[in-house]
Amino acid sequence: MLTALSAEAEPAMAIITLTTDFGTRDGYVGAVKGVIARLAPDTTIVDIAHDIPRGDVAHAAWVVSTSCQEFPHGTIHVVVVDPGVGGARHEVIVKVVGHWFVGPDNGAFAYVAERVSDAWAIESAAFRAKRVNRTFHGRDIFAPAAAAIARGVDVTSAGPMVRLTGALPWGTRARGQGRIVHVDHYGNLVTDLPPGEAGDAVTVAGHTLPIVGTYEDVAPGELLAYVGSARTIEIAVRDGRADARLDVPRGTVVLPAAVGEPYR
Amino acid sequence: MLTALSAEAEPAMAIITLTTDFGTRDGYVGAVKGVIARLAPDTTIVDIAHDIPRGDVAHAAWVVSTSCQEFPHGTIHVVVVDPGVGGARHEVIVKVVGHWFVGPDNGAFAYVAERVSDAWAIESAAFRAKRVNRTFHGRDIFAPAAAAIARGVDVTSAGPMVRLTGALPWGTRARGQGRIVHVDHYGNLVTDLPPGEAGDAVTVAGHTLPIVGTYEDVAPGELLAYVGSARTIEIAVRDGRADARLDVPRGTVVLPAAVGEPYR
Amino acid sequence: MLTALSAEAEPAMAIITLTTDFGTRDGYVGAVKGVIARLAPDTTIVDIAHDIPRGDVAHAAWVVSTSCQEFPHGTIHVVVVDPGVGGARHEVIVKVVGHWFVGPDNGAFAYVAERVSDAWAIESAAFRAKRVNRTFHGRDIFAPAAAAIARGVDVTSAGPMVRLTGALPWGTRARGQGRIVHVDHYGNLVTDLPPGEAGDAVTVAGHTLPIVGTYEDVAPGELLAYVGSARTIEIAVRDGRADARLDVPRGTVVLPAAVGEPYR
């Protein structure tokens, strides 16, 4: 999803963004920031989100794909939603069109790396703490790795190149249909259906909804479909919550409505 | 509320603050930060609050009026609590005593701009993304506008000057009475009654409360009134929640207690 | 807990970290940041956590002790979880092995200052706002004090040296036993028992648990004990919540299991 970015100069001071499920009541976020401040002092640290639902890799993947692309080239994105920490999944650095991603290979990079990417395992001592705790790789592997990239250490020395294996439960999208891939803070249901394939209306969970422009185009409390901020079709309830109204899980299929089908 | 600020030099690096109801589990905050980092790289981004209750413009207005004034002159405050996004309300830049405010004109600037302000509509291409999504003006209008101000683009070129029309449900305060205008994270009820008009005690929801100094001046679990951090009267329960105890809505009137009235 | 830090140069730009129970929906965090930005413009402000449970000093103490030590020497840590604000507890600056801590002396510094520290009362005008509100010392005392340290004002001029009196409910640990001292965002029960005293297994709330390496070493839904990120024994449920499973309060004793005792 990053290929649309125009080429531009990299900023003088490295930026490291953080996306985690660490929450905002413990010391985990602070520990990661402290390591970065200590190992790469001339770095700007930017919080993306720390309240990713616990262990919800697919949620993280969508957040990353819809926010990280806005940053300048050269930005380093640390993504740690890591229920398998210390287990079988690998720790990786991924390069995608001038952006760096650092975290466990568990599917969180599935969207950003779906077209083209290079990935390296994080094995070299220069990219890890001397002593690695088995349940906090955010502090002991991913923060040091991000700091090493920020300091300009050659990423090809981090470890062998690897092929990413992390995947999302709903796999790749087939042309002409979308899936609900994200439920946001407002209860909006975000799909991966591009407007160009949706036509004038979509069907979801037995409802056929015309594509409108914005919330005020329907009455308060009504369902609507529109082109969301990710430039895909979204389903919402004006001044309400579509997740509560429809109660459908992520992965639910959303289809273009048949031409001439009456709007219900 | 900003007129009390002493004059001072503007800092070398522009500061942009963010106040939103975007929450901390999605990519919306990150997207806004990414746009700013890309368009105005030499800017410090500061989070004020992202858990403003959904669409609660009056809540945002109070948060802005009690925090933004502490920043140095020249600071740019982006405020996006925008239930009417894409609809009839206007996008504006407001200048108040050396501070910039950027967001929808829906009442969020009612306190900070109540005495004196200049405002401009955001219409010029230099202040907006090339492609504006109708449901995410935070990313596509307000972040680019803030970045333009930070880069020193002349604000008078943003668009025509406008008069702010956004207002709060409880309107302007009449002398000698206050209203509950904010319920904070601790359940404290914050009023807009200045201590100078409150006298020694206030009446709210049938309770008459003497003005005391701080929480420890009453027993745990007791209601108290005191001069809060906004330099207005606040109602709290020591080690408890006044919102749960009194269960009164914002807008509820708080009056100075009659002289000689017995404290109940 | 900071003595293990290796000596290193202090960074050019001062860092001030913030740990509070102010939440992320009000203007309190923003006001503190604004004061720092105004009084010490060349400072990097870093959020540690703002969702410390209300008034939970022991929670704050653990967060501080497990995150602040990761920052470079010279970092200034503002810690404001202050249910007694305006009352009897003192406002202090504490120096511990090259780190500064600023906040009320109520126990929040019990871990970081347990071995060796110097502390000063914050009394001098150069370390406080001109006008101090009795219920918001974060803005009016602790932020100005941190800014003064960041600007290089001599800390010995802040006020007289004092002895810290704040303490935690569970006091000092006796050798050979641990206590649950923190319950984290994931429901993990964090103890203060060092692995070297735990042996191969621990007993807590009637359960004897072998020390394993990480979550994947047990089946989903099972209790486990392991060396946590603070390098002490932790109790968790894989893909679940140990706090809900065991329902034991902080302060609960955790003991090394007797040698040869069968694992239940």
Side-chain angles (χ1 to χ4, degrees):
Chain A
M1 297 207 170
L2 294 173
T3 45
L5 274 174
S6 60
E8 56 185 73
E10 302 195 358
M13 184 178 276
I15 298 173
I16 295 178
T17 79
L18 304 180
T19 303
T20 76
D21 66 352
F22 294 167
T24 53
R25 43 171 277 163
D26 286 309
Y28 303 130
V29 170
V32 165
K33 291 177 175 178
V35 169
I36 294 169
R38 188 158 41 85
L39 299 182
D42 291 324
T43 304
T44 300
I45 301 172
V46 178
D47 293 306
I48 300 278
H50 295 297
D51 287 324
I52 302 289
R54 176 185 180 173
D56 191 336
V57 171
H59 190 106
W62 188 256
V63 167
V64 164
S65 82
T66 54
S67 61
C68 294
Q69 62 177 321
E70 301 293 347
F71 283 82
H73 277 199
T75 299
I76 302 152
H77 305 286
V78 175
V79 184
V80 190
V81 175
D82 196 8
V85 61
R89 94 286 175 277
H90 292 100
E91 301 98 35
V92 293
I93 296 170
V94 185
K95 183 167 196 182
V96 187
V97 197
H99 286 248
W100 299 100
F101 295 88
V102 180
D105 173 20
N106 59 12
F109 305 131
Y111 295 123
V112 291
E114 69 186 348
R115 295 195 199 169
V116 55
S117 66
D118 289 325
W120 294 265
I122 306 175
E123 296 184 356
S124 154
F127 288 75
R128 302 163 67 108
K130 277 176 195 154
R131 203 170 148 191
V132 173
N133 179 274
R134 285 194 64 187
T135 56
F136 197 9
H137 287 183
R139 179 190 65 193
D140 295 343
I141 297 181
F142 304 123
I149 301 172
R151 287 196 317 270
V153 179
D154 178 8
V155 170
T156 64
S157 71
M161 288 197 77
V162 292
R163 200 171 58 83
L164 295 179
T165 59
L168 298 176
W170 34 82
T172 309
R173 188 179 70 88
R175 193 168 169 79
Q177 71 164 36
R179 290 82 48 91
I180 296 173
V181 292
H182 188 71
V183 180
D184 79 5
H185 166 66
Y186 303 101
N188 298 339
L189 308 177
V190 183
T191 80
D192 59 0
L193 184 66
E197 299 181 24
D200 294 335
V202 293
T203 302
V204 56
H207 296 261
T208 297
L209 302 168
I211 312 292
V212 299
T214 189
Y215 308 112
E216 293 191 0
D217 291 340
V218 302
E222 275 193 18
L223 274 168
L224 68 151
Y226 55 98
V227 181
S229 59
R231 291 162 197 128
T232 58
I233 299 300
E234 270 181 46
I235 315 293
V237 167
R238 180 176 171 192
D239 301 338
R241 296 190 65 94
D243 58 349
R245 179 74 56 87
L246 295 184
D247 194 23
V248 289
R250 286 180 295 177
T252 296
V253 168
V254 178
L255 291 171
V259 175
E261 186 173 352
Y263 295 151
R264 277 172 289 173
Chain B
M1 298 207 169
L2 294 173
T3 45
L5 274 173
S6 60
E8 55 186 73
E10 301 194 358
M13 185 179 275
I15 299 173
I16 296 178
T17 79
L18 304 180
T19 304
T20 76
D21 66 351
F22 294 167
T24 52
R25 42 171 277 162
D26 286 309
Y28 303 130
V29 170
V32 165
K33 291 178 175 179
V35 169
I36 294 169
R38 188 157 42 85
L39 299 182
D42 291 325
T43 304
T44 300
I45 301 172
V46 178
D47 293 306
I48 300 278
H50 295 297
D51 288 324
I52 302 289
R54 176 185 180 172
D56 190 336
V57 171
H59 190 105
W62 187 256
V63 167
V64 164
S65 82
T66 54
S67 60
C68 295
Q69 63 176 320
E70 301 293 347
F71 283 82
H73 277 199
T75 299
I76 301 152
H77 305 286
V78 175
V79 184
V80 190
V81 175
D82 196 8
V85 60
R89 93 287 174 279
H90 292 100
E91 301 98 35
V92 293
I93 296 170
V94 185
K95 183 168 195 182
V96 187
V97 197
H99 286 247
W100 300 100
F101 295 88
V102 180
D105 172 20
N106 59 13
F109 305 131
Y111 294 123
V112 291
E114 69 185 349
R115 295 195 199 169
V116 55
S117 66
D118 289 325
W120 294 265
I122 306 174
E123 296 184 356
S124 155
F127 288 75
R128 301 164 66 108
K130 277 176 196 154
R131 203 169 148 192
V132 173
N133 179 274
R134 285 193 65 186
T135 56
F136 197 9
H137 287 183
R139 179 190 65 193
D140 295 343
I141 298 181
F142 304 123
I149 301 171
R151 287 196 316 270
V153 179
D154 178 8
V155 169
T156 65
S157 72
M161 288 197 76
V162 292
R163 200 172 59 82
L164 295 179
T165 58
L168 298 177
W170 35 82
T172 309
R173 188 180 69 88
R175 193 169 168 77
Q177 71 164 36
R179 292 82 48 90
I180 296 172
V181 292
H182 187 71
V183 180
D184 79 5
H185 166 66
Y186 303 102
N188 297 339
L189 308 176
V190 183
T191 81
D192 59 0
L193 184 66
E197 299 181 24
D200 294 335
V202 292
T203 303
V204 56
H207 296 260
T208 297
L209 302 168
I211 312 291
V212 298
T214 189
Y215 308 112
E216 293 191 0
D217 292 340
V218 302
E222 275 193 18
L223 274 168
L224 68 151
Y226 55 98
V227 181
S229 59
R231 289 159 199 131
T232 58
I233 299 300
E234 270 181 45
I235 315 294
V237 167
R238 180 177 171 191
D239 302 337
R241 296 189 66 94
D243 58 348
R245 179 74 56 87
L246 295 184
D247 194 23
V248 288
R250 284 180 296 177
T252 296
V253 168
V254 178
L255 291 171
V259 174
E261 185 172 352
Y263 296 150
R264 276 171 290 173
Chain C
M1 297 207 170
L2 294 174
T3 45
L5 274 173
S6 60
E8 56 186 72
E10 302 195 357
M13 184 178 275
I15 299 173
I16 296 178
T17 79
L18 304 179
T19 304
T20 76
D21 66 351
F22 294 167
T24 52
R25 43 171 276 162
D26 285 309
Y28 303 130
V29 170
V32 165
K33 291 178 175 178
V35 169
I36 294 169
R38 187 157 42 84
L39 300 182
D42 291 325
T43 304
T44 300
I45 302 172
V46 178
D47 293 306
I48 300 279
H50 295 297
D51 287 324
I52 302 289
R54 177 185 180 172
D56 190 336
V57 171
H59 190 105
W62 188 256
V63 167
V64 164
S65 82
T66 54
S67 59
C68 294
Q69 62 177 320
E70 301 293 347
F71 284 82
H73 277 200
T75 299
I76 301 152
H77 305 286
V78 175
V79 184
V80 190
V81 175
D82 196 9
V85 61
R89 93 287 175 278
H90 292 100
E91 302 97 35
V92 292
I93 296 170
V94 185
K95 183 168 195 182
V96 187
V97 197
H99 286 247
W100 299 100
F101 295 87
V102 180
D105 172 20
N106 59 13
F109 306 131
Y111 294 123
V112 291
E114 70 185 348
R115 295 195 200 169
V116 55
S117 66
D118 289 325
W120 293 265
I122 306 175
E123 296 183 357
S124 155
F127 288 75
R128 301 163 66 108
K130 277 176 195 154
R131 203 170 148 190
V132 173
N133 180 273
R134 285 193 65 187
T135 56
F136 197 9
H137 287 183
R139 179 190 65 194
D140 295 344
I141 298 181
F142 304 123
I149 301 171
R151 287 196 317 270
V153 179
D154 178 8
V155 170
T156 65
S157 72
M161 287 198 77
V162 292
R163 200 172 58 82
L164 295 179
T165 59
L168 298 177
W170 35 83
T172 309
R173 188 179 69 89
R175 192 168 169 79
Q177 71 164 36
R179 291 82 49 90
I180 296 172
V181 292
H182 187 72
V183 180
D184 79 5
H185 166 66
Y186 304 101
N188 297 339
L189 308 176
V190 183
T191 81
D192 59 0
L193 184 65
E197 299 180 24
D200 294 335
V202 292
T203 303
V204 57
H207 296 260
T208 296
L209 302 168
I211 312 292
V212 298
T214 189
Y215 308 112
E216 293 190 0
D217 292 339
V218 302
E222 274 193 18
L223 274 168
L224 68 150
Y226 55 98
V227 181
S229 59
R231 289 158 200 133
T232 58
I233 299 300
E234 270 181 45
I235 315 293
V237 167
R238 179 176 172 191
D239 301 337
R241 295 190 65 93
D243 58 348
R245 179 74 56 87
L246 295 184
D247 194 24
V248 288
R250 285 180 296 176
T252 297
V253 168
V254 178
L255 291 171
V259 175
E261 185 172 352
Y263 295 151
R264 277 170 289 173

